[in-house]
Amino acid sequence: MLNFNDPATRRKSVQVKIKGIAVGGGAPVMVQSMTNTDTADPQGTADQIEALADAGSEVVRITVDRQEAAQAVPKIRELLDQRGCDVPIVGDFHYIGHKLLSENPGCAEALDKYRINPGNVGFREKKDGQFSTMIETALQYDKPVRIGVNWGSLDQELLAHMMDENGKAAAPKPASEVLEEALVQSALTNAERAEELGMSRDKIILSCKVSDVQAMVSAYQNLAARCDYALHLGLTEAGMGSKGIVASTAALAILLQQGIGDTIRVSLTPEPGGDRTKEVIVAQEVLQTMGIRSFTPLVTACPGCGRTTSTVFQELAEKIQGYVRAQMPEWREKYVGVEDLNLAVMGCIVNGPGESKHADIGISLPGTGEQPTAPVFIDGEKARTLRGANIAEEFQQIVADYIEKRYDARS
Protein backbone atom coordinates (compact mmCIF):
# COMPACT_ATOMS: atom_id res chain seq x y z
CA MET A 1 0.00 0.00 0.00
CA LEU A 2 1.27 3.48 -0.89
CA ASN A 3 2.25 5.70 2.01
CA PHE A 4 1.56 9.21 0.75
CA ASN A 5 3.40 10.73 3.69
CA ASP A 6 6.57 9.12 2.35
CA PRO A 7 7.85 11.08 -0.69
CA ALA A 8 9.59 7.92 -1.92
CA THR A 9 6.23 6.40 -2.84
CA ARG A 10 5.16 9.37 -4.97
CA ARG A 11 6.29 10.48 -8.39
CA LYS A 12 9.36 12.65 -7.96
CA SER A 13 8.73 16.16 -9.24
CA VAL A 14 10.58 19.44 -9.06
CA GLN A 15 9.26 21.59 -6.21
CA VAL A 16 7.63 24.93 -7.04
CA LYS A 17 6.88 27.68 -4.53
CA ILE A 18 3.68 29.73 -4.86
CA LYS A 19 3.84 32.62 -2.42
CA GLY A 20 6.08 30.49 -0.24
CA ILE A 21 3.81 27.41 -0.38
CA ALA A 22 5.52 24.27 -1.69
CA VAL A 23 4.01 22.38 -4.63
CA GLY A 24 5.52 19.07 -5.70
CA GLY A 25 8.82 17.64 -4.56
CA GLY A 26 7.08 15.56 -1.91
CA ALA A 27 4.97 18.42 -0.51
CA PRO A 28 1.34 17.63 0.43
CA VAL A 29 -1.06 17.51 -2.53
CA MET A 30 -2.59 20.99 -2.72
CA VAL A 31 -6.29 21.83 -3.18
CA GLN A 32 -7.12 24.56 -5.68
CA SER A 33 -10.34 26.22 -6.81
CA MET A 34 -11.50 28.99 -9.13
CA THR A 35 -13.91 31.89 -8.81
CA ASN A 36 -16.90 32.34 -11.10
CA THR A 37 -17.41 36.03 -10.31
CA ASP A 38 -16.67 38.88 -12.69
CA THR A 39 -13.09 39.77 -11.78
CA ALA A 40 -13.84 43.39 -12.67
CA ASP A 41 -15.98 43.40 -9.51
CA PRO A 42 -13.28 43.55 -6.80
CA GLN A 43 -15.65 43.27 -3.84
CA GLY A 44 -17.59 40.29 -5.16
CA THR A 45 -14.46 38.50 -6.27
CA ALA A 46 -12.66 39.12 -2.98
CA ASP A 47 -15.72 37.83 -1.12
CA GLN A 48 -15.72 34.59 -3.09
CA ILE A 49 -11.95 34.13 -2.82
CA GLU A 50 -12.22 34.53 0.93
CA ALA A 51 -15.08 32.02 1.10
CA LEU A 52 -13.09 29.49 -0.95
CA ALA A 53 -10.01 30.02 1.21
CA ASP A 54 -12.06 29.63 4.39
CA ALA A 55 -13.42 26.35 3.00
CA GLY A 56 -9.85 25.12 2.54
CA SER A 57 -8.74 26.16 -0.94
CA GLU A 58 -5.00 26.72 -0.73
CA VAL A 59 -4.76 28.53 -4.08
CA VAL A 60 -7.55 30.37 -5.90
CA ARG A 61 -7.58 31.10 -9.64
CA ILE A 62 -9.37 34.10 -11.15
CA THR A 63 -10.15 34.99 -14.76
CA VAL A 64 -8.20 37.94 -16.16
CA ASP A 65 -9.85 38.40 -19.53
CA ARG A 66 -9.96 42.15 -20.20
CA GLN A 67 -8.55 45.48 -19.08
CA GLU A 68 -11.19 46.06 -16.39
CA ALA A 69 -10.40 42.67 -14.84
CA ALA A 70 -6.64 43.26 -14.92
CA GLN A 71 -7.08 46.68 -13.34
CA ALA A 72 -9.17 45.17 -10.54
CA VAL A 73 -6.58 42.58 -9.48
CA PRO A 74 -4.48 44.91 -7.24
CA LYS A 75 -7.68 46.05 -5.48
CA ILE A 76 -8.73 42.42 -4.94
CA ARG A 77 -5.36 41.66 -3.37
CA GLU A 78 -5.65 44.77 -1.21
CA LEU A 79 -9.11 43.78 0.04
CA LEU A 80 -7.93 40.26 0.89
CA ASP A 81 -4.88 41.55 2.73
CA GLN A 82 -7.08 43.89 4.76
CA ARG A 83 -9.12 40.85 5.84
CA GLY A 84 -6.05 38.81 6.70
CA CYS A 85 -6.67 36.40 3.82
CA ASP A 86 -3.25 35.64 2.32
CA VAL A 87 -4.33 32.86 -0.07
CA PRO A 88 -2.29 32.93 -3.31
CA ILE A 89 -4.15 34.18 -6.40
CA VAL A 90 -3.53 32.78 -9.88
CA GLY A 91 -4.39 34.79 -12.98
CA ASP A 92 -6.01 32.79 -15.78
CA PHE A 93 -5.06 34.34 -19.14
CA HIS A 94 -6.35 33.69 -22.66
CA TYR A 95 -5.87 35.40 -26.03
CA ILE A 96 -4.61 38.81 -24.81
CA GLY A 97 -2.77 37.81 -21.64
CA HIS A 98 0.50 39.20 -22.99
CA LYS A 99 -1.12 42.60 -23.50
CA LEU A 100 -2.90 42.64 -20.15
CA LEU A 101 0.25 41.79 -18.24
CA SER A 102 2.40 44.27 -20.15
CA GLU A 103 -0.06 47.15 -19.77
CA ASN A 104 -1.01 46.46 -16.14
CA PRO A 105 2.12 46.06 -14.02
CA GLY A 106 0.04 46.26 -10.86
CA CYS A 107 -1.83 43.13 -11.96
CA ALA A 108 1.38 41.35 -12.93
CA GLU A 109 2.85 42.06 -9.52
CA ALA A 110 -0.26 41.34 -7.42
CA LEU A 111 -0.81 37.86 -8.87
CA ASP A 112 1.11 34.96 -7.35
CA LYS A 113 1.12 32.74 -10.45
CA TYR A 114 0.11 33.00 -14.10
CA ARG A 115 -1.83 30.31 -15.93
CA ILE A 116 -0.97 30.24 -19.63
CA ASN A 117 -2.96 28.18 -22.15
CA PRO A 118 -0.65 27.55 -25.13
CA GLY A 119 -3.64 26.72 -27.32
CA ASN A 120 -4.89 30.29 -27.34
CA VAL A 121 -1.94 32.43 -26.31
CA GLY A 122 -1.58 33.42 -29.95
CA PHE A 123 -1.82 32.02 -33.45
CA ARG A 124 0.63 31.44 -36.29
CA GLU A 125 3.52 33.94 -36.38
CA LYS A 126 2.27 35.82 -33.27
CA LYS A 127 2.20 32.78 -31.03
CA ASP A 128 5.84 32.60 -29.95
CA GLY A 129 6.14 36.33 -29.41
CA GLN A 130 3.04 36.53 -27.23
CA PHE A 131 3.97 33.42 -25.25
CA SER A 132 7.47 34.84 -24.78
CA THR A 133 6.07 38.13 -23.50
CA MET A 134 4.09 36.32 -20.79
CA ILE A 135 7.08 34.23 -19.73
CA GLU A 136 9.33 37.30 -19.69
CA THR A 137 6.79 39.11 -17.49
CA ALA A 138 6.74 36.15 -15.11
CA LEU A 139 10.53 36.27 -14.99
CA GLN A 140 10.49 40.02 -14.35
CA TYR A 141 8.19 39.66 -11.34
CA ASP A 142 9.58 36.29 -10.22
CA LYS A 143 6.26 34.46 -10.64
CA PRO A 144 5.73 30.75 -11.34
CA VAL A 145 3.51 29.71 -14.24
CA ARG A 146 1.18 26.85 -15.03
CA ILE A 147 1.28 25.86 -18.65
CA GLY A 148 -2.21 24.43 -18.87
CA VAL A 149 -3.18 22.52 -21.99
CA ASN A 150 -6.88 21.86 -22.56
CA TRP A 151 -8.39 19.58 -25.18
CA GLY A 152 -11.13 22.15 -25.78
CA SER A 153 -8.57 24.74 -26.84
CA LEU A 154 -5.68 22.63 -28.06
CA ASP A 155 -3.14 24.15 -30.46
CA GLN A 156 -4.89 23.42 -33.75
CA GLU A 157 -1.76 23.83 -35.86
CA LEU A 158 0.03 21.21 -33.80
CA LEU A 159 -2.94 18.86 -33.85
CA ALA A 160 -3.46 19.24 -37.61
CA HIS A 161 0.22 18.55 -38.26
CA MET A 162 0.21 15.45 -36.08
CA MET A 163 -3.01 14.17 -37.66
CA ASP A 164 -1.50 14.65 -41.13
CA GLU A 165 1.66 12.78 -40.14
CA ASN A 166 -0.39 10.00 -38.60
CA GLY A 167 -2.46 9.69 -41.76
CA LYS A 168 0.71 9.11 -43.79
CA ALA A 169 1.95 6.38 -41.46
CA ALA A 170 1.90 2.75 -42.56
CA ALA A 171 -0.14 1.86 -39.49
CA PRO A 172 -2.05 4.97 -38.39
CA LYS A 173 -2.95 5.26 -34.72
CA PRO A 174 -6.50 5.93 -33.54
CA ALA A 175 -7.36 9.63 -33.52
CA SER A 176 -7.77 9.53 -29.74
CA GLU A 177 -4.13 8.49 -29.32
CA VAL A 178 -2.96 11.29 -31.61
CA LEU A 179 -5.04 13.78 -29.63
CA GLU A 180 -3.53 12.58 -26.35
CA GLU A 181 -0.02 12.82 -27.75
CA ALA A 182 -0.76 16.35 -29.01
CA LEU A 183 -1.86 17.36 -25.51
CA VAL A 184 1.31 16.01 -23.94
CA GLN A 185 3.59 17.42 -26.65
CA SER A 186 1.99 20.85 -26.35
CA ALA A 187 2.65 20.91 -22.60
CA LEU A 188 6.22 19.67 -22.90
CA THR A 189 7.33 21.79 -25.87
CA ASN A 190 5.95 24.96 -24.29
CA ALA A 191 7.66 24.14 -20.99
CA GLU A 192 10.90 23.66 -22.90
CA ARG A 193 10.36 27.02 -24.62
CA ALA A 194 9.84 28.68 -21.24
CA GLU A 195 13.16 27.22 -20.08
CA GLU A 196 14.86 28.50 -23.23
CA LEU A 197 13.61 31.96 -22.28
CA GLY A 198 15.28 31.66 -18.87
CA MET A 199 12.58 30.18 -16.65
CA SER A 200 13.84 27.51 -14.25
CA ARG A 201 12.07 24.19 -13.78
CA ASP A 202 11.11 25.13 -10.23
CA LYS A 203 8.85 27.84 -11.65
CA ILE A 204 6.82 25.60 -13.98
CA ILE A 205 3.70 23.49 -13.36
CA LEU A 206 2.01 21.54 -16.16
CA SER A 207 -1.52 20.30 -16.74
CA CYS A 208 -3.30 18.39 -19.53
CA LYS A 209 -7.00 18.77 -18.85
CA VAL A 210 -9.77 16.88 -20.62
CA SER A 211 -13.39 16.07 -19.74
CA ASP A 212 -13.24 12.29 -20.22
CA VAL A 213 -12.06 10.22 -17.26
CA GLN A 214 -10.12 7.57 -19.19
CA ALA A 215 -8.53 10.16 -21.49
CA MET A 216 -7.43 12.21 -18.49
CA VAL A 217 -5.88 9.22 -16.74
CA SER A 218 -4.02 8.15 -19.87
CA ALA A 219 -2.77 11.65 -20.69
CA TYR A 220 -1.40 12.26 -17.19
CA GLN A 221 0.22 8.84 -17.00
CA ASN A 222 1.95 9.67 -20.30
CA LEU A 223 2.95 13.15 -19.14
CA ALA A 224 4.20 11.94 -15.74
CA ALA A 225 6.42 9.33 -17.38
CA ARG A 226 8.09 11.91 -19.63
CA CYS A 227 8.92 14.79 -17.30
CA ASP A 228 9.58 15.78 -13.71
CA TYR A 229 7.60 19.03 -13.71
CA ALA A 230 5.02 19.44 -10.95
CA LEU A 231 1.56 18.44 -12.22
CA HIS A 232 -1.87 19.95 -11.64
CA LEU A 233 -4.73 17.44 -11.99
CA GLY A 234 -8.36 17.94 -12.90
CA LEU A 235 -11.13 17.25 -15.37
CA THR A 236 -11.72 20.44 -17.29
CA GLU A 237 -15.51 20.18 -17.08
CA ALA A 238 -16.54 17.53 -14.57
CA GLY A 239 -20.26 18.30 -14.67
CA MET A 240 -22.99 19.00 -12.15
CA GLY A 241 -23.99 17.24 -8.94
CA SER A 242 -23.28 13.57 -8.46
CA LYS A 243 -22.00 13.15 -12.02
CA GLY A 244 -19.31 15.76 -11.52
CA ILE A 245 -18.33 14.40 -8.13
CA VAL A 246 -18.12 10.81 -9.33
CA ALA A 247 -16.21 11.66 -12.51
CA SER A 248 -13.67 13.80 -10.67
CA THR A 249 -13.22 11.27 -7.89
CA ALA A 250 -12.74 8.38 -10.32
CA ALA A 251 -10.08 10.19 -12.35
CA LEU A 252 -8.23 11.74 -9.44
CA ALA A 253 -8.24 8.57 -7.35
CA ILE A 254 -6.59 6.47 -10.05
CA LEU A 255 -3.79 8.98 -10.61
CA LEU A 256 -3.25 9.83 -6.96
CA GLN A 257 -3.06 6.14 -6.09
CA GLN A 258 -0.22 5.89 -8.61
CA GLY A 259 1.59 8.75 -6.90
CA ILE A 260 0.81 11.21 -9.72
CA GLY A 261 -0.36 14.74 -8.94
CA ASP A 262 0.85 17.71 -6.92
CA THR A 263 -2.23 19.94 -6.99
CA ILE A 264 -5.86 19.10 -7.73
CA ARG A 265 -9.09 20.88 -8.61
CA VAL A 266 -12.62 19.48 -8.76
CA SER A 267 -14.32 21.55 -11.48
CA LEU A 268 -17.98 21.18 -10.51
CA THR A 269 -20.76 22.98 -12.33
CA PRO A 270 -22.60 24.77 -9.49
CA GLU A 271 -26.26 23.99 -8.91
CA PRO A 272 -28.46 27.08 -9.49
CA GLY A 273 -27.82 29.21 -6.44
CA GLY A 274 -25.37 26.60 -5.18
CA ASP A 275 -22.29 27.18 -3.07
CA ARG A 276 -19.00 27.48 -4.99
CA THR A 277 -17.13 26.07 -2.00
CA LYS A 278 -18.58 22.61 -2.66
CA GLU A 279 -15.75 21.89 -5.12
CA VAL A 280 -13.22 22.55 -2.35
CA ILE A 281 -14.97 20.19 0.07
CA VAL A 282 -15.12 17.44 -2.55
CA ALA A 283 -11.40 17.81 -3.33
CA GLN A 284 -10.56 17.62 0.36
CA GLU A 285 -12.75 14.56 0.82
CA VAL A 286 -11.07 12.79 -2.10
CA LEU A 287 -7.68 13.31 -0.50
CA GLN A 288 -8.87 12.46 2.99
CA THR A 289 -10.82 9.31 2.16
CA MET A 290 -7.76 8.04 0.27
CA GLY A 291 -5.59 8.64 3.32
CA ILE A 292 -3.44 11.24 1.54
CA ARG A 293 -4.26 14.26 3.72
CA SER A 294 -6.52 15.11 6.62
CA PHE A 295 -8.61 18.28 6.68
CA THR A 296 -11.50 17.75 9.05
CA PRO A 297 -12.76 14.96 11.33
CA LEU A 298 -14.55 12.29 9.32
CA VAL A 299 -18.04 11.20 10.27
CA THR A 300 -18.85 7.58 9.36
CA ALA A 301 -22.59 6.96 9.09
CA CYS A 302 -24.57 3.92 7.96
CA PRO A 303 -26.81 4.23 4.88
CA GLY A 304 -29.95 3.11 6.66
CA CYS A 305 -32.22 0.15 5.89
CA GLY A 306 -35.48 -1.46 7.02
CA ARG A 307 -34.06 -1.75 10.53
CA THR A 308 -33.76 2.05 10.73
CA THR A 309 -37.11 3.46 9.69
CA SER A 310 -36.56 6.29 12.17
CA THR A 311 -34.72 9.31 10.77
CA VAL A 312 -33.06 10.09 14.09
CA PHE A 313 -29.62 8.78 13.10
CA GLN A 314 -29.78 10.60 9.75
CA GLU A 315 -30.59 13.86 11.47
CA LEU A 316 -27.87 13.32 14.05
CA ALA A 317 -25.26 12.48 11.38
CA GLU A 318 -26.16 15.68 9.51
CA LYS A 319 -26.01 17.77 12.69
CA ILE A 320 -22.66 16.31 13.73
CA GLN A 321 -21.13 16.79 10.27
CA GLY A 322 -22.35 20.39 10.22
CA TYR A 323 -21.11 20.97 13.77
CA VAL A 324 -17.66 19.60 12.95
CA ARG A 325 -17.28 21.77 9.84
CA ALA A 326 -18.49 24.85 11.69
CA GLN A 327 -16.08 24.29 14.58
CA MET A 328 -13.11 23.19 12.50
CA PRO A 329 -11.60 26.65 11.84
CA GLU A 330 -11.47 27.28 15.59
CA TRP A 331 -10.27 23.75 16.43
CA ARG A 332 -7.55 23.92 13.78
CA GLU A 333 -6.22 27.10 15.34
CA LYS A 334 -6.30 25.69 18.88
CA TYR A 335 -5.37 21.99 18.63
CA VAL A 336 -2.63 19.99 16.91
CA GLY A 337 -3.84 17.02 14.80
CA VAL A 338 -7.59 17.46 15.41
CA GLU A 339 -8.30 16.89 11.70
CA ASP A 340 -7.43 13.19 12.20
CA LEU A 341 -10.37 12.60 14.56
CA ASN A 342 -12.81 9.86 13.45
CA LEU A 343 -16.48 9.87 14.46
CA ALA A 344 -19.22 7.30 13.82
CA VAL A 345 -22.98 7.81 13.87
CA MET A 346 -24.74 4.47 13.41
CA GLY A 347 -28.40 3.55 13.18
CA CYS A 348 -28.92 0.13 14.81
CA ILE A 349 -27.32 -2.69 16.79
CA VAL A 350 -26.24 -4.80 13.78
CA ASN A 351 -23.09 -2.86 12.86
CA GLY A 352 -23.52 0.12 15.15
CA PRO A 353 -21.53 -0.95 18.20
CA GLY A 354 -18.70 -2.46 16.12
CA GLU A 355 -18.31 0.59 13.87
CA SER A 356 -18.54 2.86 16.92
CA LYS A 357 -15.69 0.97 18.58
CA HIS A 358 -13.47 1.45 15.51
CA ALA A 359 -13.97 5.23 15.69
CA ASP A 360 -12.43 7.56 18.25
CA ILE A 361 -15.96 8.45 19.31
CA GLY A 362 -19.04 6.60 18.12
CA ILE A 363 -22.72 6.48 18.89
CA SER A 364 -25.13 3.66 18.07
CA LEU A 365 -28.68 4.95 17.85
CA PRO A 366 -31.70 2.72 18.32
CA GLY A 367 -33.14 1.13 15.20
CA THR A 368 -36.73 0.07 14.63
CA GLY A 369 -37.98 -1.98 17.59
CA GLU A 370 -34.84 -1.43 19.67
CA GLN A 371 -34.71 0.12 23.11
CA PRO A 372 -34.62 3.95 22.95
CA THR A 373 -31.06 4.17 24.17
CA ALA A 374 -27.86 5.26 22.43
CA PRO A 375 -24.58 3.86 23.76
CA VAL A 376 -21.52 6.05 23.18
CA PHE A 377 -18.10 4.47 22.66
CA ILE A 378 -14.86 6.38 23.27
CA ASP A 379 -11.55 4.86 22.17
CA GLY A 380 -13.22 1.48 21.70
CA GLU A 381 -14.89 1.31 25.12
CA LYS A 382 -18.49 1.99 26.05
CA ALA A 383 -18.41 5.27 27.98
CA ARG A 384 -22.03 6.21 28.57
CA THR A 385 -25.58 5.91 27.26
CA LEU A 386 -27.64 8.83 25.99
CA ARG A 387 -31.43 9.07 26.12
CA GLY A 388 -34.06 11.66 25.44
CA ALA A 389 -34.52 14.62 23.11
CA ASN A 390 -31.08 16.23 23.51
CA ILE A 391 -28.90 13.42 22.18
CA ALA A 392 -27.37 15.62 19.46
CA GLU A 393 -26.36 18.40 21.82
CA GLU A 394 -25.00 15.94 24.42
CA PHE A 395 -23.00 14.08 21.77
CA GLN A 396 -21.55 17.35 20.46
CA GLN A 397 -20.42 18.21 23.97
CA ILE A 398 -18.78 14.79 24.31
CA VAL A 399 -16.87 15.47 21.07
CA ALA A 400 -15.77 18.92 22.27
CA ASP A 401 -14.62 17.58 25.63
CA TYR A 402 -12.72 14.71 23.97
CA ILE A 403 -10.88 17.10 21.63
CA GLU A 404 -9.87 19.35 24.51
CA LYS A 405 -8.46 16.43 26.48
CA ARG A 406 -6.83 14.46 23.66
CA TYR A 407 -5.18 17.04 21.41
CA ASP A 408 -2.32 19.28 22.44
CA ALA A 409 -2.94 23.00 22.34
CA ARG A 410 -0.98 24.96 19.77
CA SER A 411 1.68 27.16 21.29
Side-chain angles (χ1 to χ4, degrees):
M1 181 180 296
L2 285 176
N3 174 10
F4 288 93
N5 293 319
D6 179 3
T9 65
R10 288 174 56 190
R11 168 183 172 270
K12 292 179 174 59
S13 60
V14 175
Q15 189 168 97
V16 179
K17 294 288 184 69
I18 304 174
K19 203 178 182 181
I21 301 173
V23 177
V29 180
M30 178 185 284
V31 173
Q32 295 195 27
S33 60
M34 184 175 183
T35 60
N36 61 354
T37 57
D38 181 357
T39 306
D41 171 14
Q43 189 69 51
T45 301
D47 289 345
Q48 191 173 82
I49 292 172
E50 185 178 27
L52 291 166
D54 286 346
S57 183
E58 293 157 299
V59 174
V60 178
R61 182 159 49 111
I62 62 175
T63 296
V64 186
D65 58 345
R66 63 195 195 280
Q67 288 289 346
E68 293 83 357
Q71 292 163 3
V73 171
K75 180 61 176 177
I76 293 168
R77 181 74 269 171
E78 180 185 345
L79 288 170
L80 292 171
D81 290 343
Q82 289 172 357
R83 303 175 191 183
C85 180
D86 62 354
V87 66
I89 302 175
V90 179
D92 192 53
F93 293 98
H94 300 273
Y95 304 112
I96 59 170
H98 62 291
K99 182 177 180 181
L100 295 176
L101 285 170
S102 298
E103 296 179 358
N104 296 277
C107 170
E109 188 169 9
L111 291 169
D112 298 294
K113 187 178 76 169
Y114 309 156
R115 188 268 177 143
I116 304 172
N117 184 339
N120 57 29
V121 73
F123 304 99
R124 292 179 291 278
E125 66 278 358
K126 294 182 179 180
K127 178 181 177 181
D128 185 66
Q130 293 175 181
F131 178 82
S132 298
T133 296
M134 297 186 75
I135 295 297
E136 287 162 0
T137 305
L139 290 169
Q140 178 184 350
Y141 291 98
D142 194 28
K143 307 293 183 179
V145 300
R146 171 159 69 92
I147 297 174
V149 181
N150 189 310
W151 77 348
S153 51
L154 183 58
D155 183 337
Q156 292 302 300
E157 293 177 60
L158 172 65
L159 181 59
H161 172 74
M162 292 180 64
M163 286 293 187
D164 287 344
E165 292 298 308
N166 184 62
K168 298 173 185 176
K173 298 177 181 178
S176 59
E177 290 187 21
V178 180
L179 175 61
E180 177 189 317
E181 179 61 21
L183 285 164
V184 174
Q185 278 199 30
S186 179
L188 293 176
T189 55
N190 281 279
E192 290 167 5
R193 177 58 181 148
E195 287 195 57
E196 290 173 1
L197 293 166
M199 181 160 281
S200 58
R201 300 175 76 79
D202 63 356
K203 293 289 187 181
I204 300 172
I205 297 173
L206 299 185
S207 65
C208 282
K209 286 193 168 186
V210 299
S211 299
D212 178 83
V213 170
Q214 295 292 353
M216 174 185 159
V217 170
S218 182
Y220 274 102
Q221 288 172 333
N222 187 347
L223 183 62
R226 291 163 60 176
C227 74
D228 62 357
Y229 296 108
L231 301 182
H232 170 73
L233 307 185
L235 288 170
T236 188
E237 287 102 14
M240 181 179 287
S242 60
K243 185 270 178 186
I245 294 171
V246 170
S248 290
T249 302
L252 292 171
I254 293 170
L255 292 165
L256 291 168
Q257 188 65 21
Q258 295 172 1
I260 298 171
D262 301 296
T263 74
I264 66 170
R265 182 190 172 204
V266 175
S267 300
L268 296 181
T269 303
E271 305 283 351
D275 191 342
R276 188 68 168 181
T277 62
K278 186 174 183 179
E279 69 174 47
V280 178
I281 294 170
V282 173
Q284 289 180 329
E285 290 177 345
V286 169
L287 294 174
Q288 185 151 353
T289 54
M290 291 188 68
I292 297 173
R293 287 186 68 184
S294 295
F295 297 93
T296 190
L298 289 177
V299 179
T300 300
C302 68
C305 66
R307 293 186 297 271
T308 57
T309 54
S310 168
T311 61
V312 173
F313 88 93
Q314 300 167 358
E315 293 162 359
L316 180 58
E318 182 178 6
K319 286 181 180 178
I320 293 301
Q321 186 74 72
Y323 171 72
V324 166
R325 286 205 172 273
Q327 293 295 118
M328 196 56 203
E330 179 183 341
W331 288 344
R332 191 182 293 114
E333 291 294 321
K334 291 177 64 176
Y335 303 108
V336 178
V338 67
E339 59 273 7
D340 294 320
L341 178 69
N342 285 305
L343 306 174
V345 179
M346 305 303 294
C348 76
I349 61 173
V350 174
N351 292 318
E355 287 283 357
S356 297
K357 290 176 183 178
H358 286 305
D360 297 311
I361 310 174
I363 186 169
S364 181
L365 293 163
T368 305
E370 296 174 13
Q371 293 296 316
T373 60
V376 175
F377 298 83
I378 299 178
D379 293 330
E381 301 292 334
K382 183 177 177 181
R384 58 186 294 188
T385 299
L386 303 182
R387 296 179 177 85
N390 297 317
I391 287 178
E393 291 74 16
E394 292 180 40
F395 188 68
Q396 288 176 4
Q397 189 59 51
I398 290 171
V399 172
D401 292 343
Y402 179 88
I403 288 172
E404 185 175 3
K405 291 176 183 177
R406 173 174 171 179
Y407 295 101
D408 294 333
R410 292 189 184 277
S411 56

